[in-house]
Amino acid sequence: MTDDGERRARVTLSRVVEPGDEVCGRWVREVGAREAVRWLSGGEGQPRGMTDSRWAGLRARAERADPEGDLGRAREAGVRFVCPGDSEWPAQLDDLGDGRPLGLWVRGLSSLRIWALRSVAVVGARACTEYGAHMAATLGAGLAERGWVVVSGGAYGVDGAAHRGALGAGGATAAVLACGVDRPYPRGHTQLISRIAEQGLVIGELPPGDHPTPSRFILRNRVIAALTRGTVVVEAAYRSGALVTARAAQRLGRFTMGVPGPATSSLSAGVHELLRGEAVLVTDAAEVAELVGDMGELAPDRRGPVLPRDLLPPGAQRVLAALPARRPAAVDAIARGAATTTDDAVGRLYELRALGFVERHGDGWKLTRQASTSVRDDREGR
């Protein structure tokens, strides 16, 4: 476990350093969190690659940092601070290198590390269509029923639908926020995020009370991508934060998936662009689980319905196909069409009559009404 001094130093830095700052991340890696705080408080040194003005800005922030106060407010809100080195720290976040979080504020009772081992991100448009909301909720429920943790950003649209789908199935879900986990955002999702905290996990890099900004939303997405085995995008325009998550997942070597939409929909244009690249097309939770899951987690084979004529032996199928759709035909004409002998054709015709496919009309044979419709549809590819 991380000792108290290291934890307080990282809490201080979470108030000073913006998420995903790789210059500061390299600095903390090289000198350590406690030494970094000492530098900020007036010790000798300045991180390499950092301008004087930026360094002055960080030091000004550090003067206002109150790690004990932040930890106290977190305890009151039922929030804990998880650091690299803690048993609960998800090791896959280390794939972010110097851009990994300094620590994560976590609200909820479950183990973040255990949940992250079997998690999938479902992200997409905030202003999604009914189709997008339906697909996100269905994926969330299906993945939860298969024992997967559904991770998203708690936003309106696809995010909220995915969370609700998992919760409705009685499963596990985690929301990664771009603000303090004690102040739900967006406000309209206060009840949803509170429910996620009770049944799942609410996670964030920013200390209690901190507010979201556009850049923090974008940087939050790298945590979603790194935390999970794969990312599914449901509806995303060309300029979409969901695509940022998907591209981060690709850079990290995670699976990237997309749910297709109408070719004319601008909200699916970004997804289709992903699918033209390295992303994999998925349509349900079984296909997602097959891709990101363990060996043997296979999606069922997809095929059309099995019709009665599909069960006929090949010879009978050829004779059936040789009958015209609407008029009777003589046996010799049927035999020629089926490339067989007259005697064989007669035997097959009586077999087909017993099964209800054909009927005799004088010296000719004709498809029954039901068989005629079925064969016509098959020939027309319906």
Side-chain angles (χ1 to χ4, degrees):
M1 290 291 291
T2 307
D3 63 49
D4 289 342
E6 177 76 8
R7 190 177 308 280
R8 281 194 299 273
R10 287 184 174 271
V11 169
T12 299
L13 292 171
S14 76
R15 182 67 74 177
V16 173
V17 177
E18 282 296 308
D21 187 329
E22 295 189 359
V23 173
C24 288
R26 183 183 66 237
W27 168 47
V28 172
R29 174 173 55 80
E30 291 173 348
V31 306
R34 277 179 284 200
E35 183 66 10
V37 170
R38 192 181 72 81
W39 285 22
L40 285 165
S41 62
E44 295 296 326
Q46 179 173 327
R48 60 188 175 90
M50 186 175 293
T51 63
D52 292 342
S53 60
R54 189 173 174 209
W55 179 239
L58 292 179
R59 293 189 64 182
R61 279 189 172 189
E63 290 175 1
R64 301 174 64 86
D66 178 14
E68 295 300 338
D70 283 338
L71 288 169
R73 284 188 290 274
R75 281 191 296 271
E76 291 174 1
V79 176
R80 60 191 180 277
F81 187 69
V82 178
C83 298
D86 285 346
S87 60
E88 195 180 350
W89 180 257
Q92 57 266 49
L93 289 178
D94 298 340
D95 293 346
L96 291 169
D98 290 334
R100 77 173 180 177
L102 292 160
L104 289 174
W105 300 88
V106 181
R107 183 179 164 200
L109 299 177
S110 301
S111 168
L112 175 59
R113 183 181 68 84
I114 297 301
W115 274 31
L117 291 174
R118 191 174 167 84
S119 63
V120 178
V122 180
V123 297
R126 286 176 171 81
C128 67
T129 65
E130 289 185 11
Y131 164 77
H134 169 76
M135 289 303 301
T138 302
L139 283 170
L143 288 165
E145 289 168 354
R146 287 167 171 77
W148 288 89
V149 178
V150 177
V151 178
S152 198
Y156 292 131
V158 166
D159 288 17
H163 289 307
R164 291 189 181 94
L167 291 169
T173 188
V176 183
L177 304 186
C179 57
V181 297
D182 61 328
R183 55 177 297 174
Y185 186 89
R187 295 286 181 85
H189 273 181
T190 298
Q191 186 175 358
L192 173 63
I193 291 172
S194 296
R195 188 180 171 198
I196 293 171
E198 293 172 1
Q199 191 170 321
L201 292 173
V202 179
I203 307 158
E205 292 180 76
L206 294 161
D210 225 340
H211 62 280
T213 64
S215 63
R216 288 173 172 179
F217 281 116
I218 295 299
L219 290 163
R220 176 272 311 270
N221 294 343
R222 82 195 195 288
V223 177
I224 295 176
L227 200 60
T228 53
R229 286 204 195 177
T231 294
V232 185
V233 183
V234 183
E235 289 195 326
Y238 284 123
R239 289 176 55 84
S240 169
L243 298 186
V244 174
T245 310
R247 289 169 185 141
Q250 289 176 336
R251 288 194 300 272
L252 292 165
R254 309 293 196 261
F255 293 103
T256 308
M257 296 152 278
V259 175
T264 54
S265 171
S266 61
L267 278 175
S268 289
V271 181
H272 295 162
E273 190 65 23
L274 281 177
L275 293 173
R276 283 169 54 83
E278 298 178 3
V280 177
L281 187 152
V282 293
T283 59
D284 61 19
E287 293 175 351
V288 175
E290 179 180 68
L291 190 64
V292 302
D294 299 323
M295 187 177 295
E297 290 191 60
L298 301 177
D301 291 336
R302 308 302 167 94
R303 55 181 299 175
V306 177
L307 301 177
R309 64 177 180 273
D310 297 331
L311 305 177
L312 294 171
Q317 288 187 22
R318 288 193 296 271
V319 168
L320 185 64
L323 270 81
R326 293 183 176 84
R327 56 182 173 78
V331 172
D332 56 348
I334 296 170
R336 284 195 303 273
T340 188
T341 64
T342 302
D343 290 342
D344 180 63
V346 170
R348 300 290 186 185
L349 287 166
Y350 277 104
E351 178 185 349
L352 291 168
R353 185 175 72 170
L355 295 172
F357 285 96
V358 301
E359 54 192 14
R360 189 167 182 177
H361 284 258
D363 293 334
W365 293 83
K366 181 182 178 182
L367 294 170
T368 61
R369 183 174 180 180
Q370 182 178 359
S372 177
T373 302
S374 176
V375 170
R376 183 172 66 250
D377 288 349
D378 188 49
R379 288 172 181 172
E380 294 174 359
R382 294 181 185 173

